[in-house]
Amino acid sequence: MLETGLVVAAFTPPTVEDMHLPPFFEIGSFAFGKQMLLVLVSVIVVAALFLFAARRRAMVPGRWQFAGEMGYGFIRNSLAKDLIGVHEFKPFVPVLFTCFYFILVNNLWGSIPVLQLPSFSHVGAAYFLAAFAYVFWVGVGIKRKGLGGFMKSMTMPSGVPWFFYIILIPIEFFSNLIVRPVTHALRLFATMFAGHLAIMVAASLTGFLIADMGGIGYGVSIFSGIFGIFLFFLELLIQVIQAYVFTLLFAVYLQGAVAEAH
Amino acid sequence: MSHLMAAEEGASPLIPNGWEILITALGFVILLYVVIKFIAPTFEKIYQDRKEAIEGGLAKAEKAQAEAAAARDEYNQQLESARLEAQKIREEARGEGEKILAEFKERASSEAARITENAQKTIDAERSAALVSLRTEVGTLATELAGKIVGEALDDDQRSQRVVDRFLSDLEASQQRNAGASR
């Protein structure tokens, strides 16, 4: 570290450890932490909002019902119906709907002061959801086409000369059945994790500049503060986009599982 | 560098916490259950009801339109048939009128003929009656006259008849003679 004289205290950037606050309580090895609480609260929030919106089942919707219908119709029509197809999409609407709003609310926790922790910045949550999606769409594919037919549709794209299959089968197998779930999980986790970390760094730097530097620190803190706010809104955008992307990819995988080979 | 080392010493962010996986799974499954059981069916039902209401309204409107068209067709048909009926009646009436007129004409002419005939008959009868009565009267008068002139009672009917007849035939003969002379 350079001896500039200005540095009166060393800045310690926040680390991964700061994303894992001490648990609220522990029972043996079970430590109930903030992330878990937020996940459970998100379940209540999503369920309550949509149940409340749909409580009247009115032919002419009120404001809440209209919003609920928009939220439901968004996943049902512009995601499930458009991607999976008019004849096949119906049974997959609930799972896609749950996926999207579960992820959305859990991501948005990251932008609500005090709560401020996207649940999927803890990798376990992302692993679970990607694993669930993987088991679900692979299951649907095997049920529809049988194990052989499903494997064929996943690894042997049609319209390719036979000798290309020597190379294509391993590549397709690897990319469709091994890489897919990993990227599905890591994309969500990484964006939430990195965004949260970036905001933490910007915020703690601003705090450090104001509290521990004094003088020039006040001036510089304006930039880091503005940057932090910019990051906050960027992260807000990413939180919504990633919820959509995860669900979109899930729907694309499902479409691949139900589609007839052509 | 110490703080960087500290960051590396911590658990890798890619190693999951098993309990977090479990809680996330629990939360997700609960939410999925609520969605499958309550939320999705409710919204689907709202959509379905609304679709049915709209389609029902359209069907109703279509039905009403079809009914109106049918009523209009029926009305037109009735109008047409009424028009035909009227024309038929008019033609019938005209025919009937002509027939009646002809009948009347015929009846009038036959009546006229009958009246003429009757008149003719009456005239004839009257003439013959007049002829008879004239003949008798003229006979009587002539007899009386002749009786008076002759001074002879001609009471015997037979004789007087014979005298009259002879007189009359003489009269006719003289007339014929006169007619022949005058010719």
Side-chain angles (χ1 to χ4, degrees), chain B residues 4-79:
Chain B
L4 278 176
M5 289 303 291
E8 275 161 11
E9 274 162 23
S12 161
L14 290 175
I15 306 297
N17 175 334
W19 291 110
E20 281 178 359
I21 294 179
L22 193 72
I23 293 290
T24 307
L26 187 71
F28 183 78
V29 168
I30 291 169
L31 185 59
L32 186 60
Y33 175 79
V34 173
V35 169
I36 290 173
K37 198 83 183 160
F38 305 106
I39 294 174
T42 307
F43 280 105
E44 289 295 336
K45 194 175 177 308
I46 291 169
Y47 281 149
Q48 194 61 34
D49 287 354
R50 193 169 298 149
K51 198 176 144 207
E52 272 165 17
I54 291 167
E55 276 174 2
L58 284 180
K60 211 184 278 175
E62 240 162 58
K63 204 173 139 223
Q65 208 162 17
E67 268 172 13
R72 196 193 54 212
D73 285 354
E74 201 181 335
Y75 168 76
N76 279 346
Q77 210 171 338
Q78 276 179 359
L79 204 68

Side-chain angles (χ1 to χ4, degrees), chain B residues 2 31 36 49 61 66 78 89 94 100 109 166 179:
Chain B
S2 61
L31 185 59
I36 290 173
D49 287 354
Q78 276 179 359
I89 287 168
R94 195 180 292 152
I100 287 168
S109 67
R166 202 167 55 225

Side-chain angles (χ1 to χ4, degrees), chain A residues 17 29-30 35-36 43 50 54 57-59 61 65 68-69 72-73 76 90 94-95 97-98 102 122-125 127-129 132 186 189, chain B residues 3 7 10-11 13-16 19-21 23-25 27-28 30-32 34-36 38-40 42-47 49-50 53:
Chain A
E17 297 308 308
S29 71
F30 176 61
Q35 191 267 358
M36 296 178 186
V43 172
F50 280 98
R57 304 180 179 208
M59 194 71 78
Q65 191 183 323
E69 280 181 31
Y72 183 78
R76 180 190 189 272
K90 275 265 170 70
V95 75
F97 175 85
T98 310
F102 184 68
H122 288 205
V123 77
Y127 284 164
F128 164 74
L129 215 56
F132 174 88
L186 289 185
F189 159 72
Chain B
H3 52 276
L14 290 175
I15 306 297
W19 291 110
E20 281 178 359
I21 294 179
I23 293 290
T24 307
F28 183 78
I30 291 169
L31 185 59
L32 186 60
V34 173
V35 169
I36 290 173
F38 305 106
I39 294 174
T42 307
F43 280 105
E44 289 295 336
K45 194 175 177 308
I46 291 169
Y47 281 149
D49 287 354
R50 193 169 298 149

